[in-house]
Amino acid sequence: METALYIAILVISAVMSVLVILQSRGGGLNRDTSSMYHTRRGIEKTLYQATIALSVSFLLLALITSLPIFN
């Protein structure tokens, strides 16, 4: 059980890293200030929501594996 939780944390962190990289389009010094406030639509909204869901599940798994029964 403990090994499965650790593997799940590794998989979630890898997928979450990919999602964050996919969201970071147009960053850097050449950022257009007129596009700072916009509504997320389509795939951008899906990536954003998936990142939030994965970050919450990562946090919960990290808290579960930090319980004294796993030490």
Side-chain angles (χ1 to χ4, degrees), residues 38-63:
H38 67 280
T39 305
R40 291 182 175 91
R41 294 183 182 168
I43 191 75
E44 185 181 14
K45 183 176 180 180
T46 304
L47 287 173
Y48 180 73
Q49 291 172 342
T51 304
I52 291 173
L54 283 175
S55 62
V56 169
S57 62
F58 179 83
L59 177 66
L60 290 176
L61 282 176
L63 289 174

Side-chain angles (χ1 to χ4, degrees), residues 6-25:
Y6 289 133
I7 290 172
I9 286 177
L10 286 173
V11 170
I12 288 174
S13 64
V15 172
M16 196 166 47
S17 297
V18 170
L19 289 177
V20 169
I21 290 170
L22 286 174
Q23 287 182 27
S24 65
R25 65 174 177 89

